[in-house]
């Protein structure tokens, strides 16, 4: 089965995603230029910290790109419904197509998505069954990268020894204070926002409830047995190997679980 590319034509989503890419580029180029490389050259930090920074940044970028272009679980116009699961499908009252229960029709994208969690403008895509795991990785690596950058920004001024070699002819050196203040502002803003989002996503997976289901109040705990957290995470990431939950380069293979659940939207 080939990789299904999904591209949403939405100027609002393009602007939001462009802002995320700008913040990533800002940290990717300026933090090493101002903090990491100068302190490494003067022996204040080991080189492995620079490698870790670039590694986290690349994992974050891959998760962002893949979450944005991966098909979230769009249903075909004529889906093949297994004979034994017909009772677990329903008719969408917006596009008049059959869909598994717990699917939802995205008004922005104009089609139904399997187990849709929400439409995220920051990746310009829906978060559904087939790309939810990438969205979680994006939240995780964004938070990790932001904490890493903020930590080194703090250490640069309050912990590391002052730099002896400073080339004042460089633009980033002459305007270092303004650049670092902007980086700190974006970092703190990003950290606060992504922490809240990541927390709600984790709680949703643990309780096996999507964001849309929470808003519609259609999922009551007594109507569906609680699954172990290992099972719910394995279903989202498509594997029971926990180490693979952190790898954005692989291809997700859905676990063989039925579509039907006790509740649906």
């Amino acid at each position: 089965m080939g990789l299904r590319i999904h591209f949403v034509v939405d100027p609002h989503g393009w602007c939001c995603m462009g802002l995320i890419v700008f913040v990533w580029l800002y940290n990717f180029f300026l933090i090493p230029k101002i903090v990491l490389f100068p302190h490494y050259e003067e022996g204040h930090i080991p080189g492995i910290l620079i490698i870790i920074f670039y590694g986290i940044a690349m994992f974050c970028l891959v998760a962002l790109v893949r979450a944005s272009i991966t098909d979230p679980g769009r249903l075909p116009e004529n889906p093949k419904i297994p004979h034994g699961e017909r009772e677990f499908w329903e008719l969408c009252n917006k596009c008049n197509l059959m869909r598994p229960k717990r699917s939802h029709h995205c008004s922005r994208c104009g089609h139904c998505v399997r187990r849709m969690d929400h439409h995220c403008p920051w990746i310009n895509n829906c978060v559904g069954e087939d790309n939810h795991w990438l969205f979680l990785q994006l939240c995780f690596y964004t938070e990790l990268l932001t904490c890493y950058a903020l930590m080194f920004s703090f250490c640069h001024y309050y912990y590391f020894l002052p730099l002896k070699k400073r080339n004042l002819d460089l633009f980033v050196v002459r305007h270092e204070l303004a650049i670092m203040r902007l980086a700190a502002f974006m970092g703190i803003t990003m950290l606060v926002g992504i922490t809240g989002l990541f927390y709600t996503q984790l709680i949703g997976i643990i309780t096996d409830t999507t964001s849309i289901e929470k808003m519609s109040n259609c999922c009551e705990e007594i109507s569906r047995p609680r699954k172990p957290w290992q099972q719910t995470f394995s279903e989202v990431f498509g594997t029971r190997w926990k180490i693979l939950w952190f790898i954005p380069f692989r291809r997700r293979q859905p676990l063989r679980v039925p579509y039907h659940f006790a509740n649906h939207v």
Side-chain angles (χ1 to χ4, degrees):
M1 181 173 163
L3 181 64
R4 298 174 61 185
I5 302 298
H6 184 72
F7 185 76
V8 180
V9 180
D10 183 7
H12 176 257
W14 294 343
C15 292
C16 291
M17 189 173 177
L19 180 61
I20 295 298
V21 173
F22 169 77
V23 174
W24 183 89
L25 290 173
Y26 192 94
N27 285 274
F28 185 80
F29 288 105
L30 293 180
I31 295 298
K33 183 71 174 180
I34 297 176
V35 181
L36 297 181
F37 286 120
H39 284 285
Y40 169 72
E41 292 172 356
E42 297 192 10
H44 299 163
I45 61 173
I48 187 64
L49 295 181
I50 300 178
I51 297 175
I52 293 175
F53 175 84
Y54 280 117
I56 297 174
M58 292 309 301
F59 272 55
C60 181
L61 180 63
V62 172
L64 172 62
V65 173
R66 292 201 62 192
S68 176
I69 65 174
T70 297
D71 189 332
R74 178 178 180 175
L75 288 165
E77 294 185 0
N78 296 308
K80 296 181 180 179
I81 306 176
H83 181 72
E85 296 183 6
R86 292 184 180 274
E87 61 179 301
F88 306 115
W89 287 62
E90 62 186 5
L91 182 68
C92 175
N93 57 7
K94 295 182 180 179
C95 60
N96 294 321
L97 297 176
M98 294 299 295
R99 66 184 187 185
K101 293 181 179 180
R102 299 193 76 187
S103 301
H104 185 78
H105 186 91
C106 178
S107 57
R108 186 172 291 272
C109 295
H111 53 73
C112 289
V113 177
R114 295 192 311 273
R115 203 180 187 280
M116 177 178 168
D117 187 83
H118 67 285
H119 182 93
C120 180
W122 301 107
I123 64 172
N124 193 32
N125 198 1
C126 290
V127 177
E129 183 177 285
D130 292 342
N131 70 340
H132 198 172
W133 66 287
L134 292 165
F135 184 75
L136 288 172
Q137 289 182 354
L138 174 61
C139 292
F140 173 75
Y141 286 116
T142 299
E143 186 157 2
L144 198 60
L145 181 63
T146 303
C147 290
Y148 206 78
L150 288 173
M151 179 188 69
F152 276 106
S153 299
F154 176 84
C155 292
H156 176 62
Y157 289 106
Y158 301 104
Y159 183 77
F160 293 148
L161 295 174
L163 295 172
K164 299 177 181 179
K165 302 176 182 179
R166 294 173 59 86
N167 186 359
L168 296 179
D169 294 332
L170 296 176
F171 176 85
V172 294
V173 176
R174 293 199 311 270
H175 302 278
E176 174 187 312
L177 185 59
I179 292 174
M180 295 303 292
R181 282 178 175 175
L182 180 58
F185 171 76
M186 292 190 299
I188 293 173
T189 304
M190 182 76 72
L191 182 62
V192 172
I194 205 69
T195 298
L197 176 61
F198 193 34
Y199 173 77
T200 57
Q201 287 293 304
L202 293 178
I203 294 300
I205 295 177
I206 292 173
T207 58
D208 193 22
T209 308
T210 66
S211 298
I212 293 177
E213 291 169 344
K214 290 178 183 178
M215 290 187 293
S216 60
N217 297 320
C218 68
C219 290
E220 300 178 1
E221 294 183 353
I222 59 174
S223 62
R224 183 170 61 212
R226 180 69 60 86
K227 299 178 183 178
W229 69 268
Q230 296 95 332
Q231 180 179 349
T232 56
F233 274 89
S234 296
E235 291 175 3
V236 170
F237 285 96
T239 178
R240 292 182 174 85
W241 292 88
K242 295 181 177 59
I243 188 63
L244 296 180
W245 295 356
F246 300 92
I247 307 299
F249 306 98
R250 64 183 179 87
R251 178 176 297 180
R252 177 182 179 272
Q253 297 293 338
L255 295 180
R256 294 193 173 278
V257 294
Y259 279 123
H260 58 277
F261 294 89
N263 300 291
H264 61 280
V265 178

